Amino acid sequence: MLPKYTIEYTTRLGKHALSNHYSTDDPVACEEFVEELMEARYPIRAIRHEGMEMSRPEFDRIIKTAAAMLASRHICASLGIKPEEEHFRFGFSA
């Protein structure tokens, strides 16, 4: 059985690029993992849903959601505020 979401990404070990993948059935876990990849600046090569390459709008929605989560986390940490206040002031929290 295919996992619902598979993310292909690249890591670097010295001069070597290593191709990796992460699979989950949970859409929130998928978005959280993409957020972690973005934080670590790992290139995201593809996101698949049930084995099929996602359409551009679907792919972009996951990237946009993960970027908003990342921005929210950074704002909260930098300003020492709770996610509720961040959402009220800046609108990033989900």
Side-chain angles (χ1 to χ4, degrees):
M1 188 166 152
L2 289 172
K4 288 218 181 243
Y5 299 95
T6 302
I7 303 164
E8 293 180 16
Y9 62 100
T10 304
T11 57
R12 295 201 72 71
L13 184 60
K15 296 179 182 180
H16 304 283
L18 304 172
S19 199
N20 299 285
H21 73 275
Y22 168 81
S23 298
T24 183
D25 289 328
D26 182 2
V28 174
C30 175
E31 292 167 349
E32 289 172 345
F33 190 75
V34 170
E35 175 193 8
E36 292 173 14
L37 291 174
M38 293 172 80
E39 175 74 13
R41 298 182 181 182
Y42 291 144
I44 299 167
R45 300 294 175 210
I47 302 175
R48 291 187 167 71
H49 183 253
E50 296 180 345
M52 301 291 293
E53 191 90 20
M54 286 189 144
S55 68
R56 176 65 67 122
E58 291 171 320
F59 178 90
D60 290 353
R61 184 196 57 78
I62 289 177
I63 297 298
K64 185 176 180 178
T65 300
M69 292 164 56
L70 183 60
S72 173
R73 191 164 48 87
H74 280 265
I75 290 169
C76 289
S78 294
L79 301 180
I81 60 176
K82 294 184 178 186
E84 296 80 19
E85 183 179 353
E86 179 279 319
H87 180 66
F88 177 76
R89 291 174 62 187
F90 303 101
F92 284 112
S93 289

